[in-house]
Amino acid sequence: MTDFDDDAAGSIASAALAVLREQGPLSLEEWATHLEEYGTATELADVLEYLSEPMLGYLPNGKYVALDTVLEGLVFTHRLSEVEIASDILDASPDLEPILAFGDDDGAIRVALAEEAASERGAAPFRSRRVVVLPAGTLGECADGDLVGLAVEDGTLAFRLVEIEDEPDLAPALGELFEEDGVEALDSVCWQLLIEDPSLFTVPVAPLGEIFEVAGYEHERELLARRGFDFDAYDLQIRTALVASTYDLTHDEAVSAVAFVDLADRGYTDAIIADFDIADWAHRHVSAAPDSFVSLADPGAAVAVFDLGFRNQDPVTDAILEALASELAERGPRSVRAAAHWLAGKAVDRLGRVLEAEAHYEKALLAESGWGPALFELAQFASDRGDATRALSLLGRIDGGTEENLYAVLQDFVPADHPELGRNDKCWCGSGRKYKVCHLGKADESVKADGRWLYKKACLFAFASEFVDIVTGLDDLENENLSEDELIAATIFDGSALDVALFEGGIFAEFLARRSELLPEAEVVTAAQWLGIRRSVYEVIETSDTGVVLLDRGSKETVTVAHSVEGKPGDVISARVLTAPTGAFAVGVVVMATESQAARVLEVLASEDLEAEELVRELRGGADHSTDDR
């Protein structure tokens, strides 16, 4: 897609909508020709195709339309239920779908996700994914089955009590829009009907759901099709195609991935509804068709399964994954054993059994020695143990392993060779022992003791799938809507958001709980001490080649950090000062732009109910985000 700067993109968006309002529905090519002052038709088509504007609608015939010009002054009706009356929230689908673009936060009537609105009002669950939230008390005088209307007036939604004034027959027009087995977006169909007959919905008519039913059509979620359409099969087809495209899988691999995730979802539902033997359930389903998941042998397919079905950490979900994967490893085809052991390892790791996870990954390599995801997990475990040499060796067996963040981290901790020394010479470290029994093939112990490797182990752990939403969510507050991959690349080990995610976000505590069996004993002790260390605001008192003296604005105590902090005496920073056997060092360093910002950050840090998001927002106000020197 062609890149335009923000100002140009904003100008194009405004001009593009103005063209649609004036010219009516246009194809992408027609639309682009009206905007040639901004670039070539090809360049503009790229921009317009990805244009995200609330008032932009896409029609079944492939054309684009400005919704405010089509929907202004129209009214759509809805029949009330007791749940809606009690909460002043309206189910949006299908009756109100065409006008949801007008329910922004500025109006008295707004559109929201059903789960969030139900939680806000203490209401029972709604059928729709989105709902219309009315001012409290709006439906107080209404009864179950009453008809209400929402009209578009001056670009906002207005509530009305209505009576039916017309009964349009939409069957002929719908028949021309739909192929025999076709399915369309419900709102898009309505917009198309309005283009063809602008008199529709100018007065109150029956709710859309009732009109569609009479015409022989049915809806599910935001889709519309002829009665009898198999929405489940269509949904499976779409999801399979999306998985294949997203993860670069073959059709068969995508089918297996979706089938595995769907089976796990059914198991989760059954487990929540009624207590049952998960292992027996897994045995029955896998043994009934052991070849069903043969295409999961591909690493990309197995990763897709984990990402789609098990990204969010949940004990029941992880128990189901362990049972299904273990059963598949035992009874499935030989070709899928590596993937099955990897999936089982991921599950038991999150369930707190890291040594069992390691055993599963080792079995995965016995089944297939070059299976990449298992090699990576074992490399990270080797790093956690402090064995940089083995970790690098394992990464070297992965295609693209040298591009991993772990590979770059390990370069600072790989054993240092001293070719000038013979095996029987005295060691360079001054211990008096022979080089071969002291430091040959070993890292400088001071590197392990200064805490930097331990902190980076925790950072790498934070980018596991179950935590990445926390990390990128906080980073997004700090770094302007970067993609997940860009955020990870830009902020790994740097910036305040990652540090806040680790400590205030609770990830470091999880790291210690799940990795203590792997970490060297001294690091376990150090990590346990770090759990109690809070971020603070510091003033730089003195700098030198050997360290920086900081005054804690909260405790009024001074501390010397061994590694450099960018800044000069008098500068004020926020950081977390971690202690290690060889001294202290600062992480997540942010230079405070003003004294008022420093005071606000200190106030937030002093709160008993410290919220990670609030802290990052205050830290973001700084004029400069320095990299913490680790």
Side-chain angles (χ1 to χ4, degrees):
M1 190 177 80
T2 304
D3 290 328
F4 290 89
D5 61 36
D6 290 343
D7 289 341
S11 297
I12 292 172
S14 297
L17 281 174
V19 166
L20 284 182
R21 290 180 180 120
E22 180 180 342
Q23 300 294 328
L26 296 171
S27 68
L28 195 63
E29 294 73 17
E30 293 169 339
W31 198 11
T33 60
H34 288 278
L35 297 163
E36 288 183 339
E37 64 183 281
Y38 295 97
T40 67
T42 301
E43 292 173 337
L44 289 165
D46 285 342
V47 175
L48 296 174
E49 188 173 6
Y50 294 97
L51 191 62
S52 177
E53 289 289 333
M55 290 300 117
L56 181 62
Y58 184 72
L59 302 175
N61 64 7
K63 293 189 175 184
Y64 295 82
V65 65
L67 296 180
D68 46 4
T69 60
V70 174
L71 295 167
E72 179 65 33
L74 303 187
V75 59
F76 290 80
T77 64
H78 177 72
R79 207 170 294 282
L80 295 174
S81 69
E82 292 181 353
V83 171
E84 292 171 315
I85 294 169
S87 61
D88 291 299
I89 296 175
L90 304 179
D91 260 312
S93 184
D95 302 335
L96 306 174
E97 281 288 342
I99 53 174
L100 294 184
F102 295 89
D104 59 32
D105 291 335
D106 295 332
I109 299 173
R110 58 188 175 87
V111 174
L113 293 175
E115 186 175 350
E116 294 177 0
S119 175
E120 175 188 323
R121 294 273 173 97
F126 291 89
R127 297 186 306 273
S128 302
R129 184 176 65 87
R130 291 188 294 176
V131 293
V132 176
V133 183
L134 304 172
T138 301
L139 304 177
E141 301 300 320
C142 296
D144 186 24
D146 280 356
L147 199 66
V148 298
L150 285 183
V152 179
E153 296 179 354
D154 296 326
T156 61
L157 295 180
F159 175 80
R160 294 180 184 175
L161 294 173
V162 297
E163 293 183 359
I164 294 176
E165 298 182 27
D166 189 15
E167 296 184 7
D169 178 10
L170 298 183
L174 288 170
E176 294 182 8
L177 287 177
F178 282 84
E179 297 178 2
E180 186 63 31
D181 294 322
V183 61
E184 298 285 353
L186 190 152
D187 54 5
S188 204
V189 167
C190 291
W191 301 332
Q192 185 72 55
L193 293 173
L194 286 166
I195 296 296
E196 297 174 5
D197 184 359
S199 69
L200 286 173
F201 307 109
T202 53
V203 297
V205 300
L208 280 174
E210 297 175 14
I211 294 176
F212 290 144
E213 184 177 3
V214 170
Y217 289 77
E218 59 184 337
H219 69 93
E220 185 168 312
R221 296 177 296 277
E222 293 93 16
L223 299 175
L224 185 69
R226 284 188 170 92
R227 187 176 294 121
F229 182 81
D230 192 338
F231 283 100
D232 290 338
Y234 176 76
D235 179 63
L236 180 61
Q237 177 186 346
I238 294 299
R239 287 194 296 130
T240 302
L242 181 60
V243 169
S245 173
T246 302
Y247 294 94
D248 194 22
L249 305 180
T250 67
H251 175 73
D252 288 345
E253 289 165 352
V255 168
S256 287
V258 171
F260 191 97
V261 171
D262 284 351
L263 177 59
D265 284 344
R266 292 198 300 274
Y268 180 85
T269 301
D270 292 345
I272 295 299
I273 294 173
D275 187 22
F276 70 98
D277 188 326
I278 292 177
D280 178 67
W281 172 86
H283 171 70
R284 284 187 284 108
H285 282 83
V286 173
S287 61
D291 295 329
S292 298
F293 305 111
V294 65
S295 295
L296 295 183
D298 179 78
V303 170
V305 162
F306 188 79
D307 196 34
L308 292 167
F310 308 95
R311 178 168 176 147
N312 295 321
Q313 192 171 9
D314 178 273
V316 176
T317 301
D318 290 333
I320 289 171
L321 175 60
E322 177 193 5
L324 283 173
S326 296
E327 192 70 26
L328 191 60
E330 182 177 346
R331 304 183 191 280
R334 178 178 294 274
S335 63
V336 83
R337 288 180 185 172
H341 277 298
W342 177 76
L343 287 168
K346 295 292 286 185
V348 297
D349 180 15
R350 301 205 306 189
L351 289 168
R353 291 143 48 199
V354 67
L355 297 183
E356 288 183 44
E358 188 173 39
H360 274 296
Y361 300 145
E362 295 286 6
K363 289 178 181 178
L365 296 188
L366 288 177
E368 188 175 337
S369 61
W371 213 76
L375 286 167
F376 179 81
E377 298 293 344
L378 289 172
Q380 192 146 309
F381 284 2
S383 172
D384 289 339
R385 282 197 163 96
D387 190 344
T389 300
R390 181 165 190 259
L392 287 169
S393 175
L394 289 164
L395 288 174
R397 293 163 58 185
I398 303 173
D399 184 22
T402 57
E403 303 301 316
E404 296 286 349
N405 284 314
L406 176 59
Y407 188 91
V409 167
L410 291 169
Q411 301 309 305
D412 290 335
F413 308 108
V414 71
D417 290 330
H418 288 263
E420 75 279 7
L421 295 177
R423 291 170 55 83
N424 293 313
D425 289 343
K426 287 186 177 181
C427 187
W428 57 267
C429 71
S431 66
R433 293 181 294 174
K434 292 181 179 180
Y435 179 44
K436 66 181 180 182
V437 297
C438 191
H439 268 99
L440 179 60
K442 300 176 184 177
D444 181 352
E445 292 301 314
S446 65
V447 171
K448 293 183 179 181
D450 69 8
R452 287 178 296 161
W453 196 357
L454 172 60
Y455 189 81
K456 292 189 176 185
K457 291 174 186 179
C459 290
L460 289 164
F461 179 82
F463 286 104
S465 61
E466 59 265 40
F467 305 119
V468 73
D469 288 343
I470 299 174
V471 175
T472 55
L474 292 174
D475 263 318
D476 201 33
L477 294 176
E478 191 178 53
N479 292 287
E480 284 193 14
N481 298 317
L482 298 180
S483 71
E484 182 176 303
D485 289 342
E486 289 170 332
L487 283 169
I488 292 173
T491 64
I492 186 75
F493 318 125
D494 292 326
S496 59
L498 178 58
D499 179 71
V500 172
L502 279 172
F503 289 91
E504 282 74 21
I507 299 175
F508 190 83
E510 184 76 5
F511 164 73
L512 180 57
R514 283 172 47 184
R515 292 293 178 264
S516 59
E517 291 184 272
L518 301 180
L519 295 172
E521 185 176 345
E523 287 191 346
V524 174
V525 174
T526 299
Q529 294 171 344
W530 287 1
L531 285 175
I533 296 178
R534 299 191 68 165
R535 171 178 283 272
S536 191
V537 173
Y538 297 90
E539 182 178 342
V540 178
I541 301 300
E542 181 182 343
T543 63
S544 69
D545 293 338
T546 58
V548 179
V549 179
L550 303 174
L551 171 66
D552 188 331
R553 286 276 184 93
S555 68
K556 308 304 181 184
E557 297 178 353
T558 59
V559 61
T560 301
V561 293
H563 305 292
S564 64
V565 173
E566 292 184 10
K568 58 185 183 299
D571 284 348
V572 180
I573 64 172
S574 177
R576 193 181 316 274
V577 175
L578 300 175
T579 57
T582 59
F585 63 105
V587 295
V589 178
V590 179
V591 178
M592 299 288 92
T594 63
E595 282 292 338
S596 61
Q597 185 202 7
R600 289 195 306 272
V601 170
L602 199 58
E603 181 180 356
V604 171
L605 289 169
S607 171
E608 292 185 4
D609 299 320
L610 178 58
E611 294 185 0
E613 293 83 0
E614 182 182 6
L615 176 55
V616 171
R617 287 191 185 96
E618 292 297 343
L619 292 171
R620 183 184 57 180
D624 173 58
H625 292 261
S626 69
T627 57
D628 45 72
D629 191 304
R630 288 187 284 279

